[in-house]
Amino acid sequence: MRRDLLKFLLFAVAILVAPLAFKGGYLMNVLVFAGINTMLAVALNLLLGYAGQISLGHAGFFGLGAYLSGILTATYGWNAWLAMPLAALAVGMLAGLIGFPILKLKGHYLAMATLGLGIIIYIVFNETVDLTGGPSGFSGIPNLAIGSLVFDNDLKNYYLIWAFTLAVVLFCLNLARSRVGRALRAVHDSEVAARVMGVNARILKVQVFALSAVISSLAGSLYAHTMTFVSPASFGFNFSVELLTMVVIGGLGSIYGSFLGAALLTLLPELLRGAQDYDILIYGGLLMVMVMFLPGGLVRGIPDLFRKLAGRGEGAGNA
């Protein structure tokens, strides 16, 4: 337990001092989005990595949080700190209601059902023009503020977003170590065996689906108040697949792996901008290599790789 706490504290300190290394600029803006993506990847990892339930519709929950918080504050004048939890509650309740029927499905049927859910939400964003602005997007969303402190630049937003992200990471680390986390792993390994051991697998899956949606909604609200503008293009199928890729590359069933996957897939496209037309090819090639040689994800694959290299070095030395 102390080791886990020490690891988290080191992680938090690294996040805290990171701006000193980058000293503002465009990269700070990228790190803000790395924080939002980490929240989303952690949320999806709870569902996919721990409970073994795939979702291709999490971009929809992300978008619902963004739009609900944005509309409540910009159109109806609500306080953002009140709109964010209300949006998260509404999205969590929606996910709970939808979760009961669709989580009876398994494998590719569940993937298709969640994909359909994401597409329906995306169409609603586009078609409800009077409410959401349709394809043109919704603007005028206020920045978050605490008294006279307005989060209106990258540095302020960095600390705001990462404060929420660290809270989510700490919560999910504790959840993963708890009895609920062990029950989720049991459902992931064998739902039948988990039921025999007294785990109510159906309720547990719905609960983790709703929790995952709540965290995604919170990330969406933070995104909306950081960007002050939202449009349906940010919450489509492609982003759901991107989130899934973050979780798989970082490492299924690993909270810190979610951070690594989110950080890599947020930073990589920016680093490859100089490659112009070849950036997509390089991006895809790197992903293929990582999946082939690090199938357990970065968080497990990198230590394994070092152990293999160390073993070869010792073998060569003995020879």
Side-chain angles (χ1 to χ4, degrees), residues 41-67:
V42 168
L44 185 57
N45 211 342
L46 277 182
L47 184 68
L48 177 61
Y50 286 90
Q53 308 301 305
I54 191 168
S55 173
L56 290 175
H58 259 54
F61 296 133
F62 177 52
L64 280 174
Y67 270 103

Side-chain angles (χ1 to χ4, degrees), residues 99-182:
F100 272 103
I102 69 170
L103 289 172
K104 289 181 179 177
L105 304 172
K106 298 183 185 302
H108 57 279
Y109 294 108
L110 177 59
M112 291 170 65
T114 53
L115 170 63
L117 172 65
I119 291 174
I120 289 170
I121 295 173
Y122 177 77
I123 291 173
V124 169
F125 291 155
N126 272 294
E127 297 300 322
T128 53
V129 177
D130 292 340
L131 187 63
T132 65
S136 300
F138 184 84
S139 60
I141 302 170
N143 290 117
L144 288 168
I146 301 175
S148 59
L149 175 62
V150 181
F151 295 90
D152 55 359
N153 63 42
D154 288 338
L155 185 62
K156 292 177 184 174
N157 281 323
Y158 173 87
Y159 284 114
L160 173 72
I161 297 295
W162 277 102
F164 276 93
T165 303
L166 288 173
V168 167
V169 167
L170 183 60
F171 171 77
C172 291
L173 284 171
N174 284 321
L175 185 71
R177 302 283 183 194
S178 71
R179 183 179 174 186
V180 174
R182 292 192 291 275

Side-chain angles (χ1 to χ4, degrees), residues 215-291:
I215 297 173
S216 300
S217 171
L218 183 60
S221 295
L222 290 170
Y223 173 82
H225 291 291
T226 299
M227 295 293 291
T228 68
F229 171 81
V230 291
S231 71
S234 303
F235 313 113
F237 169 68
N238 288 346
F239 190 62
S240 284
V241 174
E242 195 174 326
L243 288 177
L244 192 65
T245 310
M246 290 176 191
V247 174
V248 172
I249 285 188
L252 290 170
S254 168
I255 300 299
Y256 290 113
S258 300
F259 160 70
L260 290 176
L264 178 68
L265 292 195
T266 306
L267 291 170
L268 195 57
E270 306 301 328
L271 297 175
L272 292 178
R273 283 188 187 278
Q276 296 183 348
D277 296 337
Y278 299 101
D279 59 340
I280 297 297
L281 291 176
I282 298 171
Y283 182 64
L286 284 172
L287 292 183
M288 286 179 61
V289 169
M290 293 185 67
V291 171

Side-chain angles (χ1 to χ4, degrees), residues 50 180-194 197 199:
Y50 286 90
V180 174
R182 292 192 291 275
L184 288 173
R185 288 193 187 90
V187 171
H188 180 280
D189 293 339
S190 172
E191 193 169 325
V192 174
M197 296 299 292
V199 175

